[in-house]
Structure formats: C-alpha cells, structure tokens
Amino acid sequence: MHIVLIGHGMVGQKFLESLAEGPAAGQVQVTVLCEEPRPAYDRVHLSEFFSGKSAEDLSLVPEGFFEKTGFTLRLGARVVSIERRDHTLKLADGEVIHYDKLVIATGSYPFVPAVPGRDRPHCHVYRTIEDLEGMQASGRVSKSGVVIGGGLLGLECAKALRDMGLQTHVVEFAPRLMAVQVDDGGGRVLREKIEALGVQVHTSRNTVEITDGVSARHRLVFTDGTWLETDMLVFSAGIRPRDELGRQSVLATGPRGGIVIDDHCRTSDRNVYAIGEVASWREQTFGLVAPGYEMARVAARHISGDAEAAFPGADMSTKLKLMGVDVASIGDAHGKTPKCRSYQYVDERKQVYKRLVVSEDGQFLLGAVLVGDAEEYGTLLQMALNGIKLPAAPEFLILPSSDSSDGKAKFAIGPDALPDSAQLCSCNNVTKGQICAAVGEGCTTIGDIKACTKAGATCGGCVPLVTQVMKLEMAKRGMAVNNHLCEHFPHSRQELYHLIRVGGIKTFGELMAKHGKGLGCDICKPAAASIFASCWNDFVLKPELAALQDSNDYYLGNIQKDGSYSVVPRMPGGEVTPDGLIAVGQIAKKYGLYTKITGGARVDMFGARVEQLPLIWEELIAAGFESGHAYGKSLRTVKSCVGSTWCRYGVDDSVGLAVEIENRYKGLRAPHKIKFGVSGCTRECAEAQGKDVGIIATDKGWNLYVCGNGGMKPRHAELIASDLSKADLIKYVDRFLMFYVRTADRLQRTSTWRDNMEGGLDYLKSVVIDDKLGLGAELEAQMQAVVDSYQCEWKTAVTTPEVRQRFRSFVNSDKADEKIIFVEERGQIRPARPEERAEEAQPA
C-alpha cells in the first residue's frame, strides 16, 4: 500500500510517528510531500526563534527518522491538484504521483483582512520561519511595530516585536484580548498586564485602510476616524483551513471551511483522510495542536487496520504564558451552559482575575478563567475532565488562603486522587495510568517519561502534574525520588553547586558539556548564574554570564509595572550622611524620580527609564554610593535601630554592627534574597526575629536568630546561639550563609529551607555551631573569598563601554520609550493608569 501525506507540519510528523509505531510499520510505502523547504518544526514555540533558536533547534524530526522508517520525504513539493478517480495527484512541476491512501495535513493559513494597503512593503504574516526571517529584516529598519490581532498568536507576535526593541502595539477588532479564551473580566486584567509590559493595546478597532504615514512608514486608519502610525505591520488575525485541494477535488467541506471528516478522520472519499487544522469534524475546526495529534493517531491506526479507531473530540482547555503573564481557560469559560453559576475573584492591585463556572447544583466544575496567576489550573482541569465533585465552598478553589475568614484551607486534589483514566497530557493523549505503567517499566526522570509516553514533549504545560504523578508512583514502589533541577540537568541545585565548585566550572557552556544536555531553559540558566556568582563572584554581566541572568539582573534593576526601573543605592544599616541624602535628593529631582523610604531603611527611587540607569548610577557612585542589590537574589538590607549610640535603652552598638555586617555580605549571591536585622536591645525595634538572620544585643553579647521570614507566609526566626562575641557571631553567620548557599533548592528562602531540613534546628546547630560535618573552616574560607572579591556591579557596569550599550530602550535607536508615561500625585510621579494612557495616546 502506498500512502501519500500532503503536508509535513507538526500533525503530519505525528501521523508518521504513529504509523511507524503501529502494526503497518515496514509494510507500507510512504511518500511525504512538504511544500516548505525544511521538515516539520515546532510552531508552538515558534517565537523562540527570536530569542536565538534556529530552525534546526525547532525541528521535530528525530535524527535518522526517515532513514530508519524508509519513508520518503520530498521538500519543496507543492501539490496543485488531486484526481480522486485515478488515485493520483499532480505537483507544481507537473509530476504525477499515484496513491492508495491519501492523507491531507495542509494545516491553515493566516487570515489577512481585505484592507486596502495590506500588501505594502514591511507588512507580514506570522506563520512560518520564512515569515519570521522577514519580520527580523523589517525590525532592523524599524522603530515601531503593530500586530493586527489580539489572540494567542497575536500576543506571541507582540512579544517578538517587543523583544526586537520596537515600540509595540496590538490592534484587536473585539472588545478584549483573547476573546475566545477569556471573558470580559479576564480580558480587562490581561490588557492591564500586557500594557504594563510596554505594549499598547487598542481594542474595538476595525482597520479600514493602510496608507503612508507622516512620522512612520504606515498609517492604520480605523472606522471611528482615529489612526495609528507604525514602521512595520504583522497580521495575526486568526487562521483559515488550507482546504483548497479538498475544494478542487470536490471533497465535502464544512460551513466554516475545512475538509469534512468522520470519526475515523476519513473524508467523503474513503481513501482520503484529513487531519489537523485543515479538517472539519462535526462542523468544528481546531486551532490547537492536541486535537491534531489525536487525529493523526486515529488516522494512522485506521489505515493500519484498526476499524475501531475514532476521534473523540477535543478538550480546548489551555494554559499559556504570554509575555510572562499566566493565562488559562478551561471548558465553558464564558458560562454559556444554561442555569450555570459562577464565582469570581479579582485583585486589581496584583492584577489577578479568576472565575469558576459551576453546574446549577454547585457540584461540578464546568469551566474556568485564570489570568495573572494560573496556579490552580492543574487541579481545576482534572476536576472538570474527570467529573470530580467540588468542595462545599467552591470559592476557596480560587481565593488566596489568607482570605479564608473561617480558616478553611484551599481545596486541592493530589495526583493520588485522580483515576488512572485521567488524561494528563492532552497533546499526546497520555493518561495517569500510562505514566504509572512507564514508572513500572523503569522510567524515573521526566526525560524518560517524555521519551516513553510523549507526555510533556509538545507544549510542556502538563510537565508539573506529570512530574508529581511520576514521583508519587516512584515513592509507592519504594524507588528513590530525585529533585533534578530541570530536564537539562540530572542533578539537584545542591548537586550542581558541588559540581561547579569542585570542577572549577565558570561558564554555562562548560557546565552543560560536562553535566547536562540540550540548550538549557529559564530554570537552569538563572540557577547556574546564581551558583557561579556564589562560587566565583565574577561580574554578572560578563559576556558569558549576561545571557543567563533574569530580567532584573540583566539590567541591574527591579523592573516595575510600567516598564521603568527602580534605583536603590546601598545605605548600610540605614546609615546615610546629610551630604548623601542631599545627593540622593538632587539626583531624584534631576531625573524626575519618585522617592520612598523602604521597610529596609533606605531610599528607593522609582521611574527610571532603562537608558537613564547608567547616568543615574554614575552620579550616585560619584556621591559615594554603591549598588543596593535590590534586583538580585542576594543580601538586600541590614535593618537596624539606633542602638546604644543614641537610645537610652540600647545595650550595644547595633548601627555599627549592622554597617559592618552589611559591608561584609553585600556581595553574596544566594538561592534567594536575604534580609538581616540588628536590634540594640530586646525591645526589637529592628524586627530582627522576622529576618533570615536576626541579631539582638544582650548584656552578655549578641543573640543569633536564623530562618525568619515576612512575606506571604511569615515565620519567626529561631535562636541558634546566645551571648556571642562579635568574632564568634560573624563566624557563625559565615557558616550559616554558606551552608544555605550550598544546600538550598532553587529560589528557596531560608525559612522554607529550614522547614524542609531533616533534623530541623538541632541539625542546623550541629553543623553551624558544633561543626559536626567538619566544614566550618571551609565555609568560612569560602565566605572570605566572596568578601575579598566584592565589586560594586554598577560601578563596573558604568565604566565598561560594552556593558553600557545594553541600557537602551530600543536596539536600533537611542530614543526614549514614549510608552512610559507618568502623572503627578501627592507632589511626585506615579505610572499612568490604562485610561490615562489611552487619553495620552489619542491623536490630536
């Protein structure tokens, strides 16, 4: 039997893999006709092309796949017609190919509205790698970009434009972003979060014409008479099935397009199948990859002789991270089910929106929308898919735990409560039972699970739940459960620290070559950068280290909600001279910054644009200040009272000790931020017992407290040693901090580290005070090396020309970001609210 596959995208490749794994493997001849110049690649992660991934990195074809299977792949082969009576098809070059079974997987094409001017130069669509290469070329000669379309692909495209350093706008015809996935409330919060990231959103806008601009290359004219100018334009207003071959060969097509298929994925011709976005099943077309993958599996099985293979439909629930913003939609997100009820939670300050849609009797979850925080997605999805009954008070599924007035804990279903039939991976139709079976066959890492079952191998959204199920099953079987950092390193953070320290490894490339695999991710890269800094204390923006840093460290500043940055000079112990205060005031006034005294007893200045940061820090350094590391996972502050120097109750010099301690540990990078407090007496004005390290003066010396924490889950620090001399105090703090740096997990505060520590405080005392592990001298020496190698990161940055170059709003321009808008309030600036931004953006 000769099978011809038209189209080699993600769904086409899944069909080939399913065919190769089935009973027909080796018994059929397969020809794949691919119109594009390259084999199947990952369109789900297409935007990563802009962050450095190549077409080869995105390829979905395993090395040697076609050689191993014997399938024939022909690139650049465009089919122009199908003659069903003869079982033949014709290529653009005139060649005629015979088939016994034909599978159409031509996917879809971007919809471009019939707007006059749509074919002007520097107007693009967002679909293929060639499209992206064209966008990159336009981006190099542009200052601004507009995306027409505010759906999933439109927002992905907007991220790409923003990453290219362009002033970015999104124009959407509907009254909200992602109109299919989220409701009005979710759309409102999503818009606020997207605009806070520097992307201007224009909803309820219908473009009627694209003409020459005055200040930019194009002008988009809207039906209401307003307009918007831009240098480049990308259409991402939805997709349409590429069903032209079906229409040409008179196959039945759906009312909204697409080639009609039955439950076996057969078209109106029993020898022709259609799968993926080109297929119309029960008058539905599917724009997500998971339904396409299921169609591919069904078609492969049916062609191979499985008469029972049937497409069951698709769950369109989805969880996304758009420009860093969590967005999730489950089931009946819009509440269209008759007599349904809903619960909503909105936090406008934190920009979080959550909605549950439940059955009339309140027993079952029908749908949900989560924007800004999608932590509950896994639990809610499994409840909806598996008909798990809701708790008596469903609202606690989405309320923060601290909001529970009657102390009820947030309801959660553990992986153990899910039935074996629960689908964990919708992309590849993998159930909990299959994961458990894979563990029984020896799969003990997420990489093994992906290779064995394909769970998590496509979009990756199910990986956290799959990992939980895997570890639970391993524990049930008495296996050792690992805590690998991520799929790229088969090591925990603690193990990675030791490999770096012992091996003298100083670059991510060397670390990956010796102990990892792949290219790394946003989990392991910042973690490795933190360990490098803890061990070697090199400048974090050295070329080989800069790319590993998260956004705050990359720009040595805390990015704020409007895209501006905060500037925080170090004021050890809260001590600052009058001249220092005057200098800070003059600098804040010169650059128009908002100033505030922080809880850590220093001055924050807000509202600095990225290109202003080196100028501001140059002046602060000249005035004697250093970086306050407010952006880093490092020592933030050492808060102190005035102590015995001024206070009549003080029994020791808390300010002097705080200044000395802050200057000692100010260069230390750690798994998470660290805060100190030093109080001059037991009245505790510095709140030392709520800090990672707390020090309180007594008549006999200093008491040392550790592992305290404020924040969402406050924890009192615990007394680890009493009545210490200053020398012993510093020795124990050295040991404590370096032991924490060595052994804590990624992004683990000292309080959580302590709570998870086997043996608890007694064990910690035995290591730090009694030196049970014999590491005391080594930990002290390592801390001293950090102290001796300290450098002010901002001083290095402003005196290094190549580093200064990164501090620009736009890659191709020195122009300031016009979308950072402030208004005056209480005599100072604050970020403009969305409605104030809209007024500012209106054309004159």
Side-chain angles (χ1 to χ4, degrees), residues 344-423:
Q344 293 185 25
Y345 167 75
V346 184
D347 185 335
E348 292 184 348
R349 185 177 63 84
K350 294 181 179 178
Q351 295 179 316
V352 172
Y353 173 85
K354 301 181 181 184
R355 181 191 186 197
L356 300 180
V357 179
V358 304
S359 58
E360 183 181 11
D361 59 9
Q363 292 196 45
F364 298 98
L365 181 68
L366 304 178
V369 176
L370 307 170
V371 177
D373 175 13
E375 180 184 359
E376 301 89 355
Y377 175 76
T379 296
L380 296 177
L381 179 63
Q382 293 305 322
M383 294 183 77
L385 292 179
N386 296 291
I388 297 173
K389 280 193 173 184
L390 292 166
E395 63 269 25
F396 289 105
L397 287 166
I398 55 174
L399 287 176
S401 299
S402 58
D403 286 0
S404 174
S405 58
D406 60 358
K408 291 182 180 178
K410 183 178 287 192
F411 178 85
I413 54 170
D416 205 24
L418 296 175
D420 283 348
S421 60
Q423 185 190 66

Side-chain angles (χ1 to χ4, degrees), residues 470-618:
M470 178 190 74
K471 291 186 176 181
L472 177 67
E473 186 66 16
M474 288 172 64
K476 285 183 177 180
R477 294 172 180 267
M479 300 177 178
V481 179
N482 71 61
N483 59 339
H484 295 171
L485 187 65
C486 69
E487 62 187 278
H488 301 107
F489 288 98
H491 306 285
S492 66
R493 183 201 170 276
Q494 181 178 352
E495 291 166 343
L496 215 57
Y497 175 93
H498 286 290
L499 291 171
I500 290 171
R501 171 71 75 175
V502 174
I505 298 171
K506 296 191 175 182
T507 67
F508 189 74
E510 184 184 357
L511 179 64
M512 184 64 78
K514 290 184 176 180
H515 303 291
K517 60 182 179 180
L519 300 174
C521 62
D522 58 0
I523 293 175
C524 59
K525 286 181 178 179
S530 173
I531 297 172
F532 291 145
S534 298
C535 290
W536 320 122
N537 217 17
D538 286 336
F539 180 45
V540 296
L541 296 186
K542 287 175 63 175
E544 61 269 31
L545 298 175
L548 306 178
Q549 311 298 337
D550 62 21
S551 297
N552 284 350
D553 279 311
Y554 190 81
Y555 289 107
L556 301 181
N558 259 335
I559 190 170
Q560 303 300 315
K561 63 185 293 184
D562 64 338
S564 65
Y565 290 82
S566 65
V567 174
V568 188
R570 188 170 296 284
M571 296 178 178
E575 185 176 80
V576 59
T577 66
D579 285 341
L581 278 176
I582 291 169
V584 167
Q586 289 174 333
I587 292 167
K589 189 172 183 179
K590 176 178 178 179
Y591 292 95
L593 307 179
Y594 169 87
T595 55
K596 185 184 184 304
I597 306 299
T598 74
R602 54 186 182 180
V603 179
D604 267 16
M605 293 176 277
F606 294 85
R609 297 191 307 271
V610 67
E611 77 276 4
Q612 294 177 315
L613 290 174
L615 303 174
I616 292 169
W617 275 104
E618 217 162 27

Side-chain angles (χ1 to χ4, degrees), residues 717-733:
E718 296 173 286
L719 181 66
I720 194 171
S722 304
D723 303 327
L724 300 172
S725 66
K726 188 166 72 173
D728 283 341
L729 172 73
I730 290 175
K731 176 175 69 175
Y732 294 149
V733 173

